């Protein structure tokens, strides 16, 4: 059996499925007030949302592209289509989804995963959700899981308006403003007080159209004493033109509530992934982020946790794998506002074949956040002499009554460890793959099972024949 030897040789066939474009509607390339107003009309927005979009566009035009991270030179908004509606309507019945779209999601494991272990699934294709379903027993608990457009105009409209882009504001940065102007699709979740959703909800985002952007908005409110695990998956086929993902995630964690938010991003290597994610946590609440970044040409992703209430807690667990032609700039931000708050950031990054992996962290402890504790641990592994890994931590501590720690390690595979495994009869490429898998183990065990298996398979494929 022929060994795979390069990143490009990895079997991405399940992700590189390309359907013939049968969109029923799309706007022109570029970004103008006319295009934004056109999107708003197509979405049948309430008047306040149309105004919000146009105001966001004004902010976007006034802001500069960030110059402190990876180069975004290859991203030209004049050639990005910001809204593509597939030739279907959203359905709660899988049988009603068009065959070619259904086939794509079936091959990606949706809704197979739903039938096995999920309480509900939302599937987005290009700019619109095509399928959304929640189990009857979960809905009977009062849990709301629906698409953003329905929530925006239905019985939860006032709740959406109260929370929409209040955590992530359009003036936060240029691509937050872009999102505010052209957002489409995404999920709305509300978990009532005291309700524990014992099996996860999942949304899957698939971008099929070349030269297009995807701008879904996810809004989750977990009320007092409630508990939820939400899983997000993303993928796209590879094209020779730039695609853009600039979604937004806003998470509200109530008093003594818990939310675990798991994300696996496996975009193709022509994707600019400029996502923004933020959570606010009330007294005694817990936010847990689990993040895996394996795809895209450029990623800028730094989920933020605002520990507003006393005794609130945040954990961020992340892994990135940067291969040839990839620049993955990822990390996390924590803001301690309440007393006796605690946070832990734990990341692993792997770079290979010239890949560039950068970890950024920001820990802010306000002057009133006394007795707070924060720890940051980032470890980076380079698999050759021409890949790159950087660690850029930032800490802003405004009170002496806090316990703060930071640990960073960057290195290569130990040749002594490789030699030891080879002396026990293990082939060299398998020995290196075992070491990489062990390096990532503390993070991968936090991933949902099917994604942990996928990640370990990816590492095995990446490593096969990579020596020399």
């Amino acid at each position: 059996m022929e060994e795979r030897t390069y990143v490009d040789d990895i079997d991405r066939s399940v992700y590189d499925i390309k359907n013939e474009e049968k969109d029923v509607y799309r706007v022109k390339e570029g970004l103008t007030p006319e295009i934004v107003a056109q999107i708003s009309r197509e979405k049948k927005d309430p008047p306040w949302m149309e105004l919000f979009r146009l105001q966001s566009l004004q902010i976007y035009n006034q802001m500069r592209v960030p110059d402190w991270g990876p180069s975004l030179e290859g991203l030209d908004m004049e050639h990005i289509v910001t809204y593509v509606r597939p030739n279907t309507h959203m359905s709660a019945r899988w049988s009603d989804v068009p065959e070619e779209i259904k086939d794509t999601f079936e091959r990606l494991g949706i809704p197979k995963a739903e039938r096995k272990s999920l309480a509900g699934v939302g599937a987005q294709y290009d700019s619109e959700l095509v399928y959304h379903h929640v189990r009857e027993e979960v809905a009977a608990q009062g849990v709301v899981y629906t698409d953003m457009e329905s929530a925006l105009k239905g019985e939860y409209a006032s709740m959406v308006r109260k929370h929409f882009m209040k955590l992530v504001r359009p003036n936060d940065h240029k691509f937050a403003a872009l999102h505010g102007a052209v957002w489409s699709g995404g999920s709305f979740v509300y978990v009532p007080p005291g309700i524990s959703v014992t099996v996860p909800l999942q949304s899957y985002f698939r971008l099929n159209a070349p030269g297009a952007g995807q701008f879904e908005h996810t809004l989750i409110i977990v009320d007092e004493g409630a508990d939820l695990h939400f899983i997000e998956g993303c993928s796209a086929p590879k094209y020779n033109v730039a695609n853009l993902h600039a979604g937004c995630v806003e998470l509200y964690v109530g008093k003594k509530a818990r939310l675990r938010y798991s994300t696996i991003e496996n975009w193709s290597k022509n994707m600019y992934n400029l996502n923004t994610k933020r959570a606010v946590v009330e007294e005694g609440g817990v936010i847990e982020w689990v993040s895996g970044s394996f795809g895209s040409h450029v990623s800028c992703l730094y989920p933020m946790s605002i520990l507003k209430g006393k005794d609130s807690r945040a954990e961020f667990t992340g892994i990135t794998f940067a291969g040839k032609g990839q620049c993955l700039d990822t990390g996390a931000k924590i803001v301690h506002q309440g007393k006796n708050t605690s946070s832990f950031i734990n990341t692993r990054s792997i770079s290979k074949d010239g890949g560039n992996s950068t970890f950024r962290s920001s820990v802010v402890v306000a002057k009133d956040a006394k007795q707070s504790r924060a720890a940051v641990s980032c470890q980076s592994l380079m698999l050759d002499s021409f890949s790159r890994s950087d660690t850029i931590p930032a800490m802003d501590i405004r009170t002496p009554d806090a316990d703060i720690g930071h640990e960073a390690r960057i290195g290569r595979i130990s040749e002594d460890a490789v030699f030891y495994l080879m002396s026990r009869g293990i082939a060299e490429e398998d020995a290196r793959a075992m070491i990489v898998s062990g390096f990532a183990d503390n993070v991968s065990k936090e991933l949902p099972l099917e994604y942990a298996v996928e990640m370990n398979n990816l590492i095995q494929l990446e490593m096969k024949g990579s020596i020399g």
Side-chain angles (χ1 to χ4, degrees):
M1 181 177 178
E2 184 180 355
E3 299 282 14
R4 296 187 173 95
T5 56
Y6 300 105
V7 173
D8 288 345
D9 293 334
I10 292 174
D11 182 10
R12 278 187 48 94
S13 59
V14 68
Y15 300 110
D16 281 336
I17 305 163
K18 296 178 184 179
N19 291 337
E20 180 185 351
E21 287 189 76
K22 295 180 180 179
D23 53 89
V24 70
Y25 180 84
R26 64 166 57 201
V27 298
K28 294 179 180 179
E29 294 180 349
L31 191 61
T32 65
E34 291 74 23
I35 288 175
V36 171
Q38 192 176 355
I39 293 173
S40 191
R41 287 194 300 271
E42 288 294 319
K43 306 295 290 180
K44 296 180 174 60
D45 284 339
W48 74 266
M49 180 55 76
E50 182 177 7
L51 178 61
F52 182 89
R53 289 182 184 275
L54 292 170
Q55 290 173 339
S56 297
L57 178 62
Q58 288 181 336
I59 295 171
Y60 171 84
N61 288 329
Q62 292 166 2
M63 301 185 83
R64 293 185 176 183
V65 175
D67 59 1
W68 47 264
S71 172
L72 303 179
E73 187 177 351
L75 177 62
D76 182 2
M77 285 304 301
E78 293 300 314
H79 293 94
I80 293 290
V81 176
T82 52
Y83 180 72
V84 179
R85 187 169 71 235
N87 188 20
T88 184
H89 299 285
M90 194 189 73
S91 175
R93 296 176 55 187
W94 188 243
S95 58
D96 291 341
V97 177
E99 284 300 323
E100 66 272 15
I101 296 178
K102 188 162 58 177
D103 179 62
T104 296
F105 282 112
E106 287 280 9
R107 291 174 66 181
L108 291 167
I110 307 295
K112 181 180 179 181
E114 174 191 20
R115 294 195 292 266
K116 281 188 173 182
S117 59
L118 298 175
V121 167
Q124 179 159 332
Y125 192 87
D126 291 335
S127 298
E128 295 288 351
L129 265 81
V130 296
Y131 174 71
H132 220 290
H133 178 72
V134 63
R135 289 186 185 177
E136 291 182 4
E137 60 267 31
V138 175
Q141 293 179 291
V143 176
V144 179
Y145 179 38
T146 187
D147 62 294
M148 276 299 301
E149 280 81 0
S150 296
L152 181 66
K153 291 171 279 194
E155 61 180 302
Y156 299 95
S158 59
M159 188 181 292
V160 171
R161 185 170 184 178
K162 179 181 177 181
H163 294 89
F164 185 88
M165 292 204 79
K166 296 298 193 298
L167 270 180
V168 179
R169 297 180 180 271
N171 56 9
D172 281 356
H173 57 81
K174 191 173 182 70
F175 293 99
L178 173 65
H179 177 89
V182 299
W183 77 272
S184 182
S187 295
F188 172 76
V189 180
Y190 173 70
V191 184
I195 296 299
S196 179
V197 183
T198 56
V199 286
L201 302 178
Q202 173 168 332
S203 284
Y204 200 96
F205 302 104
R206 176 69 176 178
L207 183 59
N208 181 70
Q214 193 171 62
F215 308 95
E216 82 285 348
H217 193 95
T218 300
L219 174 59
I220 300 178
I221 302 170
V222 183
D223 218 325
E224 182 174 346
D227 192 301
L228 173 69
H229 182 192
F230 191 89
I231 302 172
E232 176 187 75
C234 318
S235 70
K238 185 177 181 180
Y239 294 105
N240 60 1
V241 294
N243 276 31
L244 170 63
H245 178 240
C248 179
V249 174
E250 297 183 290
L251 310 177
Y252 292 84
V253 183
K255 184 178 179 181
K256 295 183 179 178
R258 173 183 173 270
L259 172 59
R260 185 177 182 89
Y261 195 94
S262 300
T263 304
I264 297 295
E265 298 191 337
N266 206 347
W267 298 113
S268 55
K269 294 180 182 179
N270 60 299
M271 178 69 75
Y272 286 81
N273 182 32
L274 310 176
N275 220 359
T276 307
K277 302 182 178 184
R278 197 162 297 170
V280 62
V281 189
E282 304 295 339
E283 178 183 343
V286 177
I287 178 68
E288 299 173 352
W289 302 90
V290 180
S291 178
S293 297
F294 307 126
S296 78
H297 173 54
V298 170
S299 274
C300 297
L301 181 59
Y302 325 98
M304 174 187 281
S305 303
I306 302 170
L307 300 178
K308 180 180 177 182
K310 68 177 183 179
D311 301 320
S312 56
R313 180 165 59 87
E315 293 185 9
F316 178 86
T317 304
I319 184 164
T320 63
F321 200 130
K324 183 179 181 181
Q326 291 183 277
C327 183
L328 304 187
D329 199 300
T330 62
K333 305 175 184 178
I334 310 286
V335 178
H336 292 256
Q337 293 181 344
K339 292 182 179 180
N340 197 39
T341 52
S342 63
S343 66
F344 180 43
I345 298 173
N346 180 28
T347 68
R348 301 287 188 274
S349 63
I350 303 165
S351 52
K352 176 183 179 290
D353 285 350
N356 189 343
S357 177
T358 300
F359 168 79
R360 298 179 195 267
S361 65
S362 172
V363 176
V364 178
V365 181
K367 64 179 182 180
D368 294 329
K370 300 182 186 302
Q371 299 178 325
S372 291
R373 302 168 304 283
V376 179
S377 174
C378 55
Q379 299 185 35
S380 302
L381 186 65
M382 293 176 290
L383 305 187
D384 50 52
S385 60
F386 53 98
S387 296
R388 177 168 176 165
S389 184
D390 296 281
T391 300
I392 307 174
M395 292 190 172
D396 182 357
I397 315 302
R398 305 293 179 94
T399 175
D401 188 7
D403 186 354
I404 312 298
H406 178 270
E407 174 193 13
R409 288 169 50 187
I410 297 178
R412 298 182 185 173
I413 291 179
S414 165
E415 294 302 322
D416 289 342
V418 174
F419 177 77
Y420 174 82
L421 291 172
M422 291 176 64
S423 71
R424 296 299 185 268
I426 298 172
E428 183 172 355
E429 62 268 27
D430 291 331
R432 292 179 181 272
M434 288 175 64
I435 293 170
V436 174
S437 295
F439 172 78
D441 182 62
N442 286 341
V443 173
S444 63
K445 69 182 182 183
E446 298 295 331
L447 298 174
L449 178 61
E450 64 273 23
Y451 290 128
V453 172
E454 177 182 340
M455 191 198 79
N456 286 327
N457 288 339
L458 174 69
I459 289 174
Q460 293 292 332
L461 290 174
E462 290 275 11
M463 290 302 301
K464 279 292 184 182
S466 65
I467 58 174

